[in-house]
Each structure stands twice: as C-alpha cells, then as structure tokens.
Amino acid sequence: MSQKPSIPKGTRDFLPSDVAKRSYLFSVIRSVYEKHGFLPIETPSFELSSTLMGKYGDEGDRLIFRILNSGDKMKKADLQALDAGNLPKFASSLSEKALRYDLTVPFARFVAQHQNDITFPFKRYQIQAVWRADRPQHGRYQEFYQCDGDSIGSDSLLNEVEFIQIIDSVLTQLAIPAFTIKINNRKILSGIAEVCGEAHHLIAITVALDKMDKIGSAGVITELESKGLSQGAIDKISPLFSLKGKPEEQLDLMEKYLSNSVVGLKGIDELRYVFETITAIGVQEAKIEFDVTLARGLNYYTGAIFEVKVDNVNMGSICGGGRYDDLTATFGLSGVSGVGISFGADRIYDVLEELNLFPKNVSLSLSVLFVNLGHKESLVSMQLAKELRSNGIDCEVYPSAVKLQKQLKYANDRGCAWVVIIGEEELQNQQLSLKNMESGEQLKFAITNFISEFSKL
RNA sequence: GAGGUUGUAGCUCAGUUGGUUAGAGCGUCGGUUUGUGGUACCGAAGGUCGCGGGUUCGAGACCCGUCUCCCUCCCCA
C-alpha cells in the first residue's frame, strides 16, 4: 500500500533551485548584520511552554504550536480541569513544550539566562524558522524563517537609527525598487489615549487606528464606537486620520496635539531625534514615513515601532520591529532595554520572485561532467575529477556506463558547461575529448596536461 | 477561531442534463541501427477521479462529513 505523498498545510518543500535562491537571500541579510557588528546566535526549535505563553497576547497564545507530552508524562493530564471545562488549563497539563513563535522572546530568555557570558550592549542576529498555527494565506505560512536583529542593553536612539540603516541596506542590496519604512512610537499612541481621556482603551484605540488603511476613517470610527469609546474621545481622535505632510511637519502638529501628555511628548522627542539623525546621515533607497496609525499588535513594544512595506506589491509587511523596555524582566533581568527588527524571509522571497529580482547566477549548475564509458575509462576520469576539485572546480563522474545519449541528456539537465569524454579510442591515444555544451564544439587534449589546459579556458 | 472557495495522471487542466474500457498538453521512460544532449518523429508507462459514508439499476459528476488549496476576517513575517 503506497501512501499519497503530502506535507502539512502551510509548509513547503524546497527544490535545489529554491534553496539556492534562499541562500542568496539569507547571505545578503547575514552580511549586512555582520557589517554592523551583530553576532549570530541560535536557540532551540522548541522552548518550555511557560517561556512562550502569555508573551504575545491572547491571539498570539492561540497560534502557538504546542507539543504533546510523550510517554508517562501523559499521566499528568489534568482531568479535573477537563471536567470543569477549563480547556486552556487542561491543554497546559498535556503540553510542557511548544515550538517557538518568534525569535524575540527566546532571545529575551537567552539574554537573561546567559547575562554573565555576554557583553552589553549585546547585538545579535538570528536566522531560524518559527512556527505559527495560523491559517495559511498569501504570504502566510505555518513554518517560515525570520531574520532577527536585536540590540539589547542600550537605550540610545542610535540603535533605532542603525536598524533603519540595516533595513535600507538589505532591501537596497536585494534591488527592491521601492519600499517604505513606516515608523511610529508606542508612547505617542499612549499619549493619544491619554489626551482623549481613554487611557484604559489604549489597546482598542491602537488596534482600530492600525486598520486605517484597510477600513478607512469611517470604519475606524465604527470600530471605536463598538469598543465603547465616548463621542468626545472619538471627536478628539478623528483629526489624526487626515494627518499629512513631511514627518517633521506631522511631528510638529502632534506635539501641539499631545501638549498635555508627558509620555506623548517623550515619544515625539524620540521620533524627532530618529528622523533628524537618519536625515543627516542619509539612506540609499528607503522612503521613511511617520505613520501615526501604525500600531503593531505585539504588546511588548514600548517605544519606536517599525514596519516595512514594498510599494505596489500585494504583500503584508516584510519587516517589523520596535523597542521593548522590559522584555527580559519576566526572566528575572530587569532594567534592560532593547530594540530589534525581524525580516520575513519567506515574504521577501515571494516579493523577489514576483518582481523577478533574483540574480541569474544563483542557480546551481555543474561545471564539468565526466562521461562514463567503461570501468578502465572511469578510473581515469575519477583521477582527473579529483585533481579538478583540488583546483576548485566542481565536477562529477557519471556513475554507470549507460548510453552516451543518456549521459549527455543528464549533463544538459544539470546545466553543465563542459563534458569530458574518455572512451576506448581516447584511452588508447592517452587523450580526452572536451565538449562545450553550449556551442557543441569538441576539443582534444592529452590526458596528462588536461588540468593545466582546462584552467586556461 | 469565523466565513467563502477548490481538489481528476508527476505538472497544468478537459470531462457536456449522472450512463459502456476517464482524456489532452507538458514532463517521464523507451525507440528512430554500434560513442554525442538541448530540435523533430514514433511508442509506452502512469489515475481505486482528495478521503469516508450516502442517494441511484448506475456517481468523477448529486447529498453529508472530513482533510487540503486559495481567499476574506482575526492576527501577523
């Protein structure tokens, strides 16, 4: 009985050509991080449930893949909780581990755990898979790679500026034609909630504002009403919908708007510094905008927040991040501020594919194939192949002496540039034939000086 | 988690109001006389029609369930 081959929803296989393109993408990101002095770390695919649960809000918790206890640990099942209808508690009793949902929370755990082994400010990058039990959609997978960079242990706003530079460098290097880095600050959002007297509705306000570009101002107002905001507060918020102009001008307006909020003004100061600094230094291709409607769901952000969109492409944000002041506190290390970003490698991949931006030469091809025409002949080929490899040239010997036609077809399918033919006739004359697979031309060389002749081609 | 949609050979799809042995193109494999690929010609293999149940004399077509694809919401990379 054969089984129909299939993989779980939201996952993918990668063919050799896919892997080649992905390695290219990762290498660009890696090299930019390293140029900025970031150090690589890796953390396990799964963490203790207690490390992850409760860090991403209720929605996030729901999307965490949990790992069922195995063996005798199944006996720990809390049947009383099941009887009482307390499903979350029952589920927790069945699962002590979970697949990582992002790279930031494991990083916070890592920093607290290894605080004596690292030097602050600590700048790390991490390129690994994460898993979310989300419903798959365009640009949305259950297994995907994030490429995080975080700088922890420094509250200097120069870190924020550096991340803008990093985003700019990566996306410019990938030749993405037009992209926008949107920036906001959680303190400004807090200030807005404060000045309209709805500080306890902060989450509702930010979530509603975040939907601005999707549902429009009327939709946002409807949403705010449904969350129970007063008419006065809504009237106070609605002027923000039409905020326009350069970042500096918008910040001036927001400064007046938030004049009664200490925290709000702090947010304005921070952003103004970031904008002024990055303007002074300059960027390559990035457009940088202040967007008061940018909220971002993850509830651990406390300062600047970033989101990056590729212009004119139907794809969610390809990069996001922000500053978090006390994420390590839950792991026993308090007073350490951090800021970080995360590139969504799979979404960037999809964008590069859609815009046809992958360089032609990333595909993997074979340089030389030695055709196999018999045992004695193949021994000579194996010897030559060994020497070619030590000269840095990739090559292989066809494993069996099947029809030449078949072997040439194989060379063709592999995108092979050269084929070496050593048969009975060549062997007798101590020669070999070198075939150029593109032109079809064939040259003869003495076996003894093939290596030196080939490297001249 | 809510709603909609899709599912036929390895891939892209046909398959007419339910009616004999389910088709095409591409791909794969083999051949077109001995050691020359990418083109051409000839031929072959490959499908319990996503899975399970039901209606019917008869189901790839209809009904129910389930899984999956894609999409909207939620949320997010």
Side-chain angles (χ1 to χ4, degrees):
Chain A
M1 268 300 275
S2 79
Q3 186 184 354
K4 187 183 178 180
S6 62
I7 54 177
K9 67 176 174 184
T11 65
R12 293 147 301 155
D13 284 327
F14 300 110
L15 292 169
S17 59
D18 301 326
V19 173
K21 290 187 228 168
R22 289 170 65 84
S23 319
Y24 156 76
L25 173 56
F26 291 139
S27 72
V28 167
I29 294 172
R30 185 177 302 121
S31 74
V32 171
Y33 275 133
E34 288 182 353
K35 283 212 177 73
H36 283 261
F38 284 66
L39 298 167
I41 70 160
E42 293 188 16
T43 62
S45 306
F46 52 94
E47 295 269 350
L48 296 174
S49 295
S50 54
T51 300
L52 305 182
M53 302 301 289
K55 307 295 192 301
Y56 308 103
D58 291 343
E59 282 298 329
D61 280 0
R62 209 191 66 205
L63 298 178
I64 293 174
F65 270 108
R66 315 190 67 163
I67 298 175
L68 193 61
N69 285 341
S70 35
D72 282 348
K73 286 186 175 173
M74 287 295 280
K75 290 177 184 160
K76 290 186 181 175
D78 187 344
L79 296 175
Q80 284 182 339
L82 179 62
D83 287 341
N86 188 344
L87 292 179
K89 194 176 178 198
F90 175 63
S92 297
S93 73
L94 284 176
S95 158
E96 293 171 345
K97 298 182 284 287
L99 292 176
R100 65 171 170 246
Y101 175 89
D102 71 357
L103 301 177
T104 304
V105 169
F107 174 56
R109 192 268 306 150
F110 177 98
V111 168
Q113 192 170 332
H114 302 287
Q115 50 186 287
N116 296 325
D117 305 318
I118 56 184
T119 307
F120 294 98
F122 182 54
K123 303 204 297 185
R124 81 89 172 79
Y125 74 90
Q126 186 173 359
I127 299 177
Q128 289 189 279
V130 302
W131 295 268
R132 295 185 188 177
D134 205 354
R135 192 162 291 202
Q137 238 176 88
H138 181 60
R140 182 175 298 205
Y141 306 97
Q142 292 204 338
E143 178 182 65
F144 60 98
Y145 271 71
Q146 291 194 326
C147 312
D148 274 33
D150 283 83
S151 175
I152 196 159
S154 159
D155 50 18
S156 164
L157 293 168
L158 284 180
N159 293 300
E160 274 83 339
V161 173
E162 181 167 41
F163 281 115
I164 294 172
Q165 293 181 292
I166 288 172
I167 295 168
D168 180 48
S169 291
V170 167
L171 300 185
T172 300
Q173 239 182 83
L174 292 172
I176 289 176
F179 58 95
T180 306
I181 304 175
K182 293 181 178 183
I183 307 176
N184 195 6
N185 193 304
R186 265 296 163 92
K187 295 189 177 83
I188 291 177
L189 294 167
S190 298
I192 291 169
E194 202 175 305
V195 298
C196 59
E198 298 276 1
H200 58 291
H201 274 137
L202 172 63
I203 302 289
I205 293 171
T206 57
V207 168
L209 275 178
D210 196 37
K211 293 182 191 165
M212 186 62 198
D213 57 339
K214 226 173 208 173
I215 60 179
S217 48
V220 174
I221 289 172
T222 311
E223 170 125 359
L224 289 174
E225 282 168 347
S226 73
K227 297 288 181 193
L229 264 79
S230 70
Q231 193 57 48
I234 291 173
D235 289 344
K236 183 81 181 159
I237 291 171
S238 48
L240 297 176
F241 300 163
S242 49
L243 202 61
K244 289 242 160 55
K246 293 180 180 169
E248 301 76 26
E249 295 166 8
Q250 291 192 41
L251 286 171
D252 287 344
L253 289 170
M254 285 306 296
E255 183 169 22
K256 290 188 191 108
Y257 183 90
L258 293 169
S259 56
N260 289 325
S261 165
V262 175
V263 64
L265 290 176
K266 180 89 175 16
I268 298 287
D269 281 349
E270 289 180 9
L271 275 197
R272 190 172 272 145
Y273 177 86
V274 170
F275 276 109
E276 280 170 4
T277 310
I278 195 66
T279 305
I281 300 168
V283 291
Q284 300 172 69
E285 296 296 331
K287 288 193 290 295
I288 305 174
E289 288 178 2
F290 168 63
D291 183 354
V292 74
T293 68
L294 173 64
R296 294 189 57 77
L298 292 174
N299 49 16
Y300 47 67
Y301 291 126
T302 52
I305 43 186
F306 309 105
E307 196 160 284
V308 184
K309 293 267 296 177
V310 179
D311 300 355
N312 308 316
V313 172
N314 173 29
M315 178 62 73
S317 69
I318 57 167
C319 180
R323 178 170 288 276
Y324 41 87
D325 273 340
D326 229 5
L327 193 54
T328 55
T330 40
F331 303 108
L333 178 64
S334 48
V336 179
S337 181
V339 57
I341 56 167
S342 178
F343 290 99
D346 301 82
R347 285 187 176 177
I348 296 174
Y349 180 98
D350 288 350
V351 167
L352 294 180
E353 194 75 294
E354 186 176 332
L355 299 179
N356 207 0
L357 294 176
F358 280 109
K360 298 268 181 310
N361 57 8
V362 298
S363 65
L364 296 171
S365 55
L366 183 66
S367 298
V368 182
L369 177 76
F370 288 84
V371 142
N372 185 335
L373 295 173
H375 180 64
K376 265 193 300 186
E377 293 84 349
S378 67
L379 285 184
V380 177
S381 296
M382 289 294 275
Q383 194 59 243
L384 288 172
K386 184 180 151 197
E387 288 182 49
L388 267 192
R389 289 179 191 124
S390 62
N391 281 288
I393 294 161
D394 57 293
C395 57
E396 60 184 65
V397 180
Y398 198 87
S400 50
V402 297
K403 286 176 73 167
L404 185 58
Q405 194 180 45
K406 192 181 166 78
Q407 300 190 45
L408 286 172
K409 185 168 161 38
Y410 173 81
N412 203 53
D413 290 346
R414 289 292 307 273
C416 203
W418 301 97
V419 167
V420 173
I421 301 170
I422 303 175
E424 204 177 349
E425 184 194 317
E426 281 88 353
L427 207 51
Q428 250 167 28
N429 305 323
Q430 283 298 297
Q431 284 189 318
L432 57 76
S433 302
L434 179 69
K435 184 180 174 75
N436 179 321
M437 288 300 280
E438 199 173 339
S439 65
E441 277 178 62
Q442 235 164 277
L443 301 168
K444 290 223 171 187
F445 291 96
I447 287 177
T448 45
N449 54 26
F450 170 66
I451 301 292
S452 58
E453 290 298 319
F454 185 80
S455 45
K456 290 180 195 160
L457 291 175

